Amino acid sequence: RGSLACVGLGMMLGAHLGPRARGHIELADIVFVAASDALVELWVQQMRPDARSLQPFYAEGKSRRQTYREMVEAMLVEVRAGRSVCGAFYGHPGVFATVPHDAIAKARAEGFDASMDAAVSAEDCLYADLGIDPGRVGCQHYEASQFLFYRRRVDPSAHLVLWQIGIVGDRSCRRFATTEAHRRLLIERLLEDYPAGHGLIVYEAATLPIASPRMERITLERLADVKLHMHSTLVVPPAMTMVPDEAMLARLAQLETQLA
Ligand code: SAM
């Protein structure tokens, strides 16, 4: 009977792969792999020389939506043929990742067993490398283009993390990079909530143990000048302290005296 397990490789080669995920990779009938780094893919191919890369589905000018549909279908074909299939994705398979979620939903809808294993994402590495605890003042996460396409309510007393900043503003879903002009529109949007001189961090987690993370500090007004990649994440630290809710605090104080 066919089944699907989507697992995460974590961000750093050899550092984050959990035993359950490794078990799925070693034991599945068929393994598909989607890594951001060619060396990480080679590492998976050492464990499973027959692992099939999902990279060839990407193509210049082809819509990512189409690419994702084809990746899901490639995995589902094997599940339907009665095989145990493992999809191994870099990072966490369920964080800013369409294919594993869609593949699992489709497999379940067709009556097959499907599961996802949690793993170390770029977000987890970001907290460690930048010394940010999301519980201290809170942390909002948005996909950078979605952040531009919709009116979101930014809380400048919390951290703001923008994913896929390298392709911010891409409405076509076909680009592997967007332009300075796109980023200027993002600057304009962020200026509604932050001062021009506000410090931001371009973050790129290290994917090899010998490498260091990129943690480049820039100001908001310089965001259009900096080099960004597909694997860059933008971190906007808080610009103000949290504003106490005096009315709620008064009601809580009242409640406490009633209970005392
Ligand atoms: N599933 C992945 C995870 O768990 O981190 C995220 C995949 S999402 C399609 C791609 C985005 O993740 C990038 O645009 C970037 O925002 C972030 N990302 C991927 N690799 C990264 C890295 N090495 N450092 C920082 N952010 C990264």
Side-chain angles (χ1 to χ4, degrees), residues 58-93:
Y58 286 106
E60 198 68 51
K62 174 172 162 186
S63 161
R64 267 189 295 283
R65 290 196 196 99
Q66 177 64 21
T67 301
Y68 296 159
R69 270 196 297 273
E70 289 172 9
M71 288 177 174
V72 168
E73 201 44 36
M75 292 196 283
L76 262 291
V77 163
E78 299 298 342
V79 174
R80 288 181 202 121
R83 304 200 172 93
S84 64
V85 175
C86 171
F89 298 83
Y90 80 91
H92 184 308

Side-chain angles (χ1 to χ4, degrees), residues 71-160:
M71 288 177 174
V72 168
E73 201 44 36
M75 292 196 283
L76 262 291
V77 163
E78 299 298 342
V79 174
R80 288 181 202 121
R83 304 200 172 93
S84 64
V85 175
C86 171
F89 298 83
Y90 80 91
H92 184 308
V95 172
F96 287 83
T98 307
V99 173
H101 281 298
D102 287 358
I104 287 173
K106 198 158 190 195
R108 285 182 182 156
E110 294 182 21
F112 299 103
D113 283 340
S115 62
M116 180 182 284
D117 277 23
V120 175
S121 71
E123 175 182 355
D124 301 297
C125 299
L126 181 157
Y127 295 144
D129 288 331
L130 299 179
I132 293 172
D133 181 341
R136 255 172 87 92
V137 294
C139 190
Q140 294 176 287
H141 288 261
Y142 294 108
E143 199 280 328
S145 297
Q146 189 192 69
F147 180 78
L148 281 187
F149 299 161
Y150 298 90
R151 293 299 309 176
R152 312 313 298 252
R153 282 213 243 155
V154 175
D155 176 357
S157 65
H159 292 275
L160 172 68

Side-chain angles (χ1 to χ4, degrees), residues 9 13 25 31-35 37-56 88:
L9 300 166
L13 189 154
I25 293 172
V31 175
F32 289 91
V33 57
D37 188 301
L39 282 177
V40 173
E41 195 157 313
L42 280 176
W43 168 60
V44 174
Q45 259 149 7
Q46 267 180 359
M47 285 180 264
R48 280 296 296 246
D50 59 341
R52 302 181 192 172
S53 175
L54 288 171
Q55 286 305 330

Side-chain angles (χ1 to χ4, degrees), residues 10-11 36 58 68 89-98 100 119-126 142-143 161-167 202-207 213-214 229-234:
M11 297 304 294
S36 55
Y58 286 106
Y68 296 159
F89 298 83
Y90 80 91
H92 184 308
V95 172
F96 287 83
T98 307
V120 175
S121 71
E123 175 182 355
D124 301 297
C125 299
L126 181 157
Y142 294 108
E143 199 280 328
V161 180
L162 296 178
W163 295 64
Q164 304 207 126
I165 188 70
I167 45 171
V202 175
Y203 176 68
E204 290 168 9
T207 53
R214 177 179 177 200
H229 303 109
M230 283 293 283
H231 59 281
S232 308
T233 299
L234 185 70

Side-chain angles (χ1 to χ4, degrees), residues 2-17:
S3 64
L4 173 67
C6 289
V7 304
L9 300 166
M11 297 304 294
M12 185 183 279
L13 189 154
H16 301 155
L17 183 67

